[in-house]
Amino acid sequence: MTLQPLATAVHRAYTADLDAEDLYRMLRLRVDVFVVEQNCAYPELDGRDLENSTRHFWIDSADGYVLGYLRLLEDPDGGFRIGRVATAKSARGLGLGRKLMRAALAEIQRAPAALSAQSHAQDFYRSFGFEPAGEEYLEDGIPHVDMRRCPAPRG
């Protein structure tokens, strides 16, 4: 796998617009990061990837590996949930997570958004306007904190 992203382009697609190979490549990165690297046996496939409104954002390497990924879910209350933000271990430090977050937030514009952050990543998410919304808790043995972004209305 090469570390050079393919023009660092962020791709975006609804689930219905993905082919099986692309979805597989995304899921492989998520399992590599969250299950294997972080040594967490948990149900990574939660069914939300297949919802019609789910949007997938990813960055490919020049040789076809997914180097960075996040998914954007629509909540019933009209807000959004960002999740499964992952960067391949070999591609960290290239700013891919930042590119993915900017793309997702551009998509939702001023709508409220929530996420469940691993505690060590709070400052990263704060840089996008997210603030803690509760106490730290353990999820699959890893400290997390819920965070919310409620942009001020345009005035």
Side-chain angles (χ1 to χ4, degrees):
M1 168 175 53
T2 63
L3 294 183
Q4 185 60 41
L6 185 60
T8 64
V10 174
H11 304 282
R12 171 212 168 273
Y14 282 93
T15 299
D17 298 326
L18 289 174
D19 64 32
E21 183 179 331
D22 283 339
L23 182 59
Y24 176 86
R25 292 181 313 112
M26 293 170 209
L27 296 174
R28 180 177 179 174
L29 172 66
R30 287 172 26 186
V31 168
D32 285 349
V33 171
F34 298 124
V35 178
V36 177
E37 181 183 335
Q38 294 183 350
N39 196 26
C40 289
Y42 78 104
E44 163 57 22
L45 303 178
D46 61 2
R48 301 227 42 204
D49 295 304
L50 300 178
E51 293 174 4
N52 290 333
S53 61
T54 297
R55 290 160 227 177
H56 304 268
F57 294 79
W58 74 100
I59 298 172
D60 283 327
S61 68
D63 56 355
Y65 288 91
V66 174
L67 296 178
Y69 173 86
L70 74 69
R71 75 177 180 187
L72 181 64
L73 305 172
E74 288 188 33
D75 283 337
D77 64 3
F80 291 86
R81 176 162 294 280
I82 294 172
R84 302 303 202 262
V85 181
T87 302
K89 190 174 186 176
S90 61
R92 293 188 190 141
L94 299 176
L96 304 184
R98 194 158 290 286
K99 286 178 183 277
L100 291 163
M101 285 295 295
R102 281 196 297 264
L105 293 175
E107 177 97 2
I108 65 173
Q109 298 180 12
R110 303 188 65 75
L115 54 83
S116 177
Q118 291 187 7
S119 294
H120 69 84
Q122 283 186 75
D123 288 341
F124 172 75
Y125 294 115
R126 273 193 173 111
S127 73
F128 295 100
F130 286 85
E131 292 297 329
E135 298 297 316
E136 185 177 79
Y137 58 93
L138 283 180
E139 184 174 319
D140 301 312
I142 297 173
H144 282 73
V145 65
D146 289 334
M147 300 184 81
R148 301 219 185 299
R149 175 181 165 266
C150 299
R154 290 185 179 162

